[in-house]
Amino acid sequence: VDCDEHMSLVIDAENAKKALTTKQQAKIFVQHGPNRLTITVTRNDFEEWTSALVDRTEITVDTALKVAGLKSDDINVCLPVGGSTRMPSVKEMLERKFPGKVDHTVEKDQVVAIGACLYMAKKLLEMRDALPAHELSAEQDKTNLSLLPGEVAD
């Protein structure tokens, strides 16, 4: 498989993965020289292939709850974020763990980006606060960091 054929396969596989979040089957096209093959992948196939990853995700959720000293009943709302939470099997696992508490209305990718921004803002504030005042020039003190709130929630 040459580079273009490989890239086409990767793109088709990604598109099929996304399609299987809402459809029962998707097609993947494989090109090798003059030969072309169409493969139909069902949601059941995909869920079987990814079941170990979903199991690992559930273990991670259980570990996070345990470390926090919480039980699933202690959680008021579960906000699934990130691409994998679009998978029906991940949604079902979360609904089992947190019945009636899973809020699917948030924009999954945007929440991840906002979280990363808040984390970075917190780190920048910590760096700024760690510098002795005499090391901050007047220009540095007027940066956008001064527009950030004094505290950023963890």
Side-chain angles (χ1 to χ4, degrees):
V1 177
D2 72 17
C3 187
D4 289 338
E5 291 169 345
H6 179 262
M7 186 52 70
S8 179
L9 178 59
V10 168
I11 291 169
D12 278 355
E14 177 71 17
N15 289 338
K17 176 187 77 170
K18 289 177 180 177
L20 290 170
T21 64
T22 59
K23 298 179 179 177
Q24 291 300 316
Q25 65 181 26
K27 294 187 185 305
I28 298 174
F29 302 99
V30 181
Q31 178 89 32
H32 182 63
N35 303 315
R36 186 169 171 99
L37 176 66
T38 302
I39 301 171
T40 300
V41 178
T42 67
R43 183 184 292 172
N44 287 340
D45 292 334
F46 183 71
E47 288 180 351
E48 182 180 325
W49 299 333
T50 59
S51 66
L53 298 172
V54 175
D55 292 344
R56 225 168 56 194
T57 301
E58 186 169 5
I59 290 168
T60 302
V61 170
D62 291 340
T63 302
L65 287 169
K66 185 176 180 180
V67 168
L70 298 171
K71 294 185 170 87
S72 59
D73 290 343
D74 298 326
I75 303 299
N76 295 327
V77 65
C78 173
L79 297 173
V81 299
S84 65
T85 60
R86 290 182 176 90
M87 293 171 55
S89 56
V90 172
K91 289 179 181 180
E92 290 165 11
M93 179 270 293
L94 291 173
E95 289 292 347
R96 256 191 340 272
K97 287 212 134 337
F98 308 103
K101 298 178 180 180
V102 184
D103 182 350
H104 294 287
T105 63
V106 296
E107 178 52 49
K108 294 163 184 347
D109 297 324
Q110 188 177 19
V111 170
V112 172
I114 291 169
C117 290
L118 288 172
Y119 179 78
M120 191 65 206
K122 179 178 186 260
K123 289 297 179 186
L124 288 171
L125 286 169
E126 289 170 357
M127 289 170 48
R128 181 189 70 177
D129 293 344
L131 289 174
H134 68 275
E135 288 188 26
L136 284 176
S137 68
E139 188 62 31
Q140 286 173 317
D141 200 35
K142 293 178 186 173
T143 63
N144 286 341
L145 287 179
S146 64
L147 299 176
L148 294 172
E151 294 182 34
V152 178
D154 287 327

